[in-house]
Amino acid sequence: MRIALAFAVLAGFFVAVLAVTAGAGVLAVYAFAHGFGAAALTLALGAVLLTTALGGALVRAARIVQQPAGAPLTRDDQPSLWRVVDELAVAAGTRAPDDVRLVVGVNAVAWEQTRMVGLRTGRRYLLIGLPLVAGLTVGELRAMIAHELGHYGDRYARLATLVQRTDGALVLTAAQLTGVLGWLVGHYSRLSTRVAAAVNRELEFHADKAAVAATGAATARAMLGRLGPLTAAWAHFEREFLALVPDSGRTPPLLLGFRAFLDDPDVRERLAGLDVALFEDPPRSPFDTHPPVRERIAAMAGGGPATVDDRRAWTLLADLPALERGLDHGSGPAADWPEVVARAHAARAERRAGTLADAARASGVAEHGTADEVLAALGRGELLRLGEPLIADGTPASRLVDTVVELLGALVVTELLHSGRATLGLDWSGRTRVVLVDGSEPDVLDLVEPAVVDPREAEAARRAVAALCDRTLTD
């Protein structure tokens, strides 16, 4: 019923366009035949402009062809993966993809290049996210691939996919239009998207059946249950670690790094709580394209014989280093994650230290801008004077203390690194580890914060920093 409604709504747009255009043309002919030349000309011009605007928008939308991204996983180079893909395509009752690629992101999707506003299909692609390869088992990845191929499996799935493509073309058409016409078509496309979203939610249940049939309900449920935690973990990994790569000037191993991140005890503990949250009903929107996870898991039952395969999903892939080079995620020679983290944090500390040193020199509280000079100035109660250049550069006065604590900590870390008294260690929780030559790990921010807050604490902090850097103070 929903799919019939979706086709009716989508067809209604094209019927309405033809009806309005034809109606304006008929009225123009009628007006001209009965001596209303001006009205006829206006109607004819309106019909031409409407046809031109909508036709042009449709043509521009039809010319937009999505291009694949990622590292190609060819049949010759990845025979193990392709055996799985071919097997699952047969089980789903559809043709295998023409091209499989590894992409950066927690997603797997099968899609087809289309033309003629989605009516004509071309090459079929299967994109597999690297975080899924790192975080799923072989059995769970099989369930994921079966689900994606299930979107094309039978008559209902093909019709639902056609609804999605046609709605996408309508949205693209609306984006090409402006003015009143753009407003009208935009509102109509919102209606079609809402109806198409309902069809897509049904299609997700339909594709889940393909996953259950291929791998058994337990494996399919496990796959769905892993997606939420993996998505949260990858977002943190991107924010805290991938963001370090440009500063490091190195190219780390993504998959092995993310796997090590997932295996960290602190990370595992934080992710464990997400499994429960996934089963709480989230706020529902009529534009949601996926049903809640717990509804999908509850609907999974029966299926074929369970095929448990607890090997890591990456065992299906050959030559991972070469594949990762194809993702273009680095900025220099290959290096392991400890080196990447150390180099990046050192570069960031150097920049922050330079900011404070420049402010100290510009404000006149320190000749050379060293940590010792800054701490001495703080002891003299010159925080506000030190902060004047920082505030002038945009630091809010309300955050001056926090900013100086952060910058002074970076200045101390930089001096420790330059003196050879410390190195920076890897901590998958995201904390910057300062490791002294004796193996101890001081909290530099905790050390300098009292001096920024209270001038009376500055001298103790100054002596403690001197001891860390193994230098003698001169009063």
Side-chain angles (χ1 to χ4, degrees):
M1 181 64 183
R2 282 179 178 170
I3 202 165
L5 175 62
F7 274 117
V9 170
L10 290 166
F13 169 75
F14 297 100
V15 171
V17 170
L18 291 173
V20 171
T21 305
V26 169
L27 287 174
V29 172
Y30 179 85
F32 185 80
H34 289 78
F36 300 102
L41 182 60
T42 300
L43 288 168
L45 181 61
V48 169
L49 290 176
L50 180 62
T51 303
T52 301
L54 286 172
L58 281 168
V59 168
R60 289 191 295 272
R63 287 177 176 173
I64 297 174
V65 179
Q66 185 179 359
Q67 297 298 329
L73 304 173
T74 66
R75 285 185 177 273
D76 289 340
D77 294 336
Q78 305 296 336
S80 297
L81 176 66
W82 273 96
R83 277 195 295 271
V84 169
V85 171
D86 288 336
E87 173 196 337
L88 295 174
V90 171
T94 187
R95 66 182 175 89
D98 304 292
D99 190 327
V100 179
R101 296 185 178 226
L102 185 69
V103 296
V104 177
V106 188
N107 194 20
V109 60
W111 61 277
E112 294 174 327
Q113 279 186 333
T114 62
R115 298 183 184 276
M116 295 178 61
V117 200
L119 297 176
R120 180 180 176 186
T121 61
R123 287 176 64 82
R124 180 177 292 178
Y125 293 89
L126 174 64
L127 308 183
I128 302 174
L130 180 143
L132 300 180
V133 177
L136 298 181
T137 66
V138 169
E140 291 163 353
L141 184 63
R142 283 170 53 87
M144 173 63 76
I145 294 172
H147 171 93
E148 293 304 323
L149 295 177
H151 283 280
Y152 299 92
D154 57 19
R155 183 172 176 271
Y156 176 86
R158 290 191 292 272
L159 288 174
T161 302
L162 180 58
V163 167
Q164 293 174 320
R165 288 200 298 261
T166 310
D167 173 66
L170 180 54
V171 171
L172 289 174
T173 300
Q176 309 292 324
L177 298 168
T178 58
V180 175
L181 187 58
W183 183 85
L184 289 171
V185 177
H187 275 70
Y188 196 96
S189 72
R190 281 180 61 82
L191 172 62
S192 73
T193 298
R194 180 170 179 164
V195 176
V199 172
N200 194 82
R201 289 194 293 272
E202 287 188 350
L203 181 58
E204 289 302 313
F205 286 115
H206 196 83
D208 284 341
K209 292 179 181 178
V212 171
T215 64
T219 299
R221 289 191 192 108
M223 175 271 292
L224 270 185
R226 290 290 296 150
L227 293 185
L230 277 178
T231 300
W234 181 254
H236 183 88
F237 186 75
E238 280 189 308
R239 183 173 61 252
E240 298 294 336
F241 295 98
L242 285 189
L244 297 175
V245 171
D247 285 320
S248 73
R250 295 292 184 268
T251 302
L254 284 187
L255 191 148
L256 294 180
F258 186 53
R259 185 64 251 173
F261 172 77
L262 293 175
D263 288 338
D264 181 81
D266 290 337
V267 174
R268 281 206 310 269
E269 183 177 349
R270 292 201 303 269
L271 292 178
L274 293 177
D275 293 329
V276 177
L278 280 173
F279 292 93
E280 298 178 359
D281 279 324
R284 295 294 300 273
S285 165
F287 295 97
D288 286 343
T289 58
H290 287 64
V293 170
R294 81 170 187 175
E295 290 184 13
R296 292 174 63 186
I297 289 179
M300 289 179 169
T307 54
V308 178
D309 192 335
D310 289 331
R311 292 177 296 159
R312 298 294 190 189
W314 72 64
T315 60
L316 293 177
L317 299 179
D319 199 359
L320 284 173
L323 286 179
E324 291 196 356
R325 285 195 294 272
L327 295 175
D328 191 27
H329 66 283
S331 57
D336 59 16
W337 277 100
E339 180 181 349
V340 167
V341 169
R343 290 176 62 90
H345 280 309
R348 292 184 174 189
E350 191 91 39
R351 287 199 297 270
R352 295 189 184 105
T355 298
L356 184 61
D358 289 343
R361 287 189 291 264
S363 65
V365 305
E367 180 181 358
H368 304 291
T370 65
D372 182 63
E373 290 175 316
V374 170
L375 286 165
L378 292 172
R380 297 192 299 269
E382 295 181 318
L383 171 63
L384 293 180
R385 183 180 172 189
L386 170 65
E388 286 177 358
L390 299 175
I391 293 173
D393 286 340
T395 297
S398 60
R399 293 204 70 254
L400 179 61
V401 169
D402 292 339
T403 299
V404 172
V405 169
E406 178 188 345
L407 298 180
L408 181 54
L411 182 56
V412 172
V413 168
T414 299
E415 292 184 1
L416 284 170
L417 295 176
H418 287 175
S419 67
R421 295 285 298 168
T423 57
L424 296 178
L426 171 62
D427 186 337
W428 289 117
S429 70
R431 180 175 64 91
T432 302
R433 290 176 54 217
V434 180
V435 184
L436 298 179
V437 290
D438 62 4
S440 62
E441 298 184 20
D443 190 319
V444 175
L445 293 182
D446 281 352
L447 176 63
V448 301
E449 182 177 14
V452 181
V453 174
D454 185 348
R456 293 170 296 182
E457 301 291 337
E459 182 61 25
R462 179 170 170 254
R463 295 186 179 281
V465 169
L468 289 180
C469 294
D470 194 26
R471 64 169 179 251
T472 302
L473 280 180
T474 56
D475 296 324

